[in-house]
């Protein structure tokens, strides 16, 4: 069974998504019921919702919306990774509200959609430090050339549990990159970082990728981080840019042939449940 650590739900009738206007094929509703119908058939038993960069005024509404879906009979939703703005003076009060809500398991601020100096600001870094020692994780979503920015945040905050999204966002269609690989190797030296095996099909050629196309990227991440610091995610609906949820899951299973049952279980669900105490 799979624990999906990275589900996006888009409901344009309920929430505002300013970035969707330039998102091409993703500029549509991607509703929970559509995901769940396919996910249950594919062996996904649990999922966390990942924030979808809603309009800032809708950040807490997004969490409430997902929480409502989690209360429906048979729901796969076990919690949410919420959006945040550590660069805001309002962050401390928001953090207090989140810490009172066990449904929220962590935060994410996508850094490749803002200027690089946002994460270098004194207020951003001061506010991020507030997560140290709490139960909340922090997802890092950066492009390979921004890895130094991510490493700076990690090194300043050894008491925060970070998650590196999407294998560090390699440009799969361009082939294996030694500079990307070096960034992964260096990041893995930090014991408070887990890597998410997710998203890579969206960066491959949608017409020609196979599991072997993805293998060097996924194997390098696992070799660098080890089987105790890897978790799996679908990145639905973004994964549909490279095919479908079923195609990504089939590729995952193909790539895990030959590994032990224990190793596969750690990637598929055990590590995620331990990370978020589920």
């Amino acid at each position: 069974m799979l624990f999906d650590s990275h589900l996006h739900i888009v409901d344009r009738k309920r929430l505002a998504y300013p970035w969707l206007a330039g998102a091409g094929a993703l500029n549509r509703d991607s509703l929970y019921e559509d995901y769940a119908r396919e996910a249950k058939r594919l062996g996904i038993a649990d999922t966390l919702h990942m924030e979808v960069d809603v309009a800032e005024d809708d950040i807490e509404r997004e969490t409430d919306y997902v929480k409502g879906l989690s209360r429906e009979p048979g729901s796969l939703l076990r919690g949410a990774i919420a959006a945040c703005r550590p660069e805001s003076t309002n962050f401390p009060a928001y953090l207090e509200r989140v810490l009172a809500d066990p449904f929220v398991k962590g935060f994410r601020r996508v850094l490749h959609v803002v200027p690089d100096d946002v994460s270098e600001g004194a207020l951003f870094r001061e506010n991020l430090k507030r997560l140290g020692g709490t139960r909340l994780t922090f997802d890092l979503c950066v492009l390979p050339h921004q890895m130094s920015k991510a490493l700076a945040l990690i090194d300043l905050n050894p008491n925060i549990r970070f998650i590196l999204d999407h294998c560090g966002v390699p440009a799969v269609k361009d082939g294996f990159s030694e500079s990307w690989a070096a960034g992964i190797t260096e990041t893995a030296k930090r014991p408070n970082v887990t890597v998410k095996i997710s998203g890579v099909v969206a960066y491959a050629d949608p017409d020609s990728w196979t599991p072997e196309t993805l293998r060097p990227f996924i194997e390098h991440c696992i070799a660098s981080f080890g089987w105790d610091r890897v978790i799996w995610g679908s990145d639905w609906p973004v994964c549909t840019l490279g095919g479908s949820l079923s195609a990504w899951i089939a590729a995952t299973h193909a790539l895990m042939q030959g590994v032990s049952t224990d190793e596969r279980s750690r990637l598929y669900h055990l590590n995620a449940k331990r990370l978020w105490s589920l």
Side-chain angles (χ1 to χ4, degrees):
M1 303 298 286
L2 288 163
F3 186 111
D4 183 358
S5 64
H6 207 102
L7 161 67
H8 299 294
I9 299 168
V10 176
D11 187 341
R12 295 171 300 173
K13 295 182 180 66
R14 301 289 296 273
L15 301 163
Y17 309 83
W19 63 275
L20 276 180
L26 293 176
N27 189 10
R28 66 181 192 272
D29 286 343
S30 297
L31 302 177
Y32 170 76
E33 53 263 34
D34 298 323
Y35 163 83
R37 187 182 307 111
E38 186 177 10
K40 290 177 180 179
R41 293 169 180 167
L42 294 168
I44 292 175
D46 311 276
T47 188
L48 290 185
H49 182 261
M50 174 58 69
E51 61 91 18
V52 199
D53 200 19
V54 295
E56 189 167 352
D57 288 345
D58 277 351
I59 286 176
E60 293 184 74
R61 292 190 190 99
E62 180 181 50
T63 298
D64 290 341
Y65 171 59
V66 175
K67 192 186 303 182
L69 293 172
S70 76
R71 293 169 176 152
E72 295 180 358
S75 178
L76 300 175
L77 286 157
R78 306 291 177 252
I81 306 299
C84 67
R85 298 290 185 270
E87 67 272 26
S88 169
T89 56
N90 297 324
F91 182 83
Y94 172 52
L95 173 60
E96 289 303 311
R97 292 194 296 276
V98 166
L99 286 172
D101 183 359
F103 186 74
V104 179
K105 308 301 181 185
F107 284 138
R108 184 173 79 158
R109 176 67 163 123
V110 178
L111 296 178
H112 64 73
V113 300
V114 297
D116 284 351
D117 60 6
V118 168
S119 69
E120 297 171 332
L123 183 58
F124 185 105
R125 293 185 170 190
E126 177 187 338
N127 279 332
L128 188 63
K129 280 185 177 294
R130 297 174 187 273
L131 299 187
T134 73
R135 59 178 178 79
L136 300 174
T137 57
F138 192 86
D139 276 62
L140 291 162
C141 195
V142 295
L143 300 175
H145 73 270
Q146 298 172 309
M147 195 62 75
S148 62
K149 310 295 182 187
L151 287 170
L153 295 176
I154 295 164
D155 288 342
L156 286 168
N157 296 283
N159 295 324
I160 296 176
R161 295 170 300 157
F162 290 96
I163 299 165
L164 182 64
D165 287 355
H166 309 326
C167 297
V169 194
V172 176
K173 65 179 183 301
D174 295 333
F176 192 82
S177 164
E178 293 299 334
S179 60
W180 164 83
I184 292 295
T185 301
E186 185 63 27
T187 305
K189 294 177 182 177
R190 281 71 174 171
N192 57 322
V193 186
T194 293
V195 69
K196 190 175 293 185
I197 305 301
S198 62
V200 287
V201 293
Y203 316 131
D205 185 326
D207 298 319
S208 64
W209 72 265
T210 70
E212 294 308 308
T213 308
L214 310 177
R215 184 180 297 279
F217 301 94
I218 291 172
E219 289 190 344
H220 180 68
C221 285
I222 294 173
S224 298
F225 280 86
W227 288 103
D228 286 329
R229 291 194 290 141
V230 290
I231 58 177
W232 185 87
S234 72
D235 197 22
W236 188 91
V238 182
C239 68
T240 63
L241 297 176
S244 64
L245 177 60
S246 60
W248 167 226
I249 289 179
T252 300
H253 291 324
L255 291 164
M256 292 304 113
Q257 287 183 357
V259 309
S260 72
T261 300
D262 177 64
E263 290 167 338
R264 190 164 47 243
S265 295
R266 281 186 263 176
L267 169 65
Y268 281 9
H269 61 91
L270 292 179
N271 290 342
K273 290 182 176 180
R274 171 174 49 82
L275 185 63
W276 288 295
S277 300
L278 291 167

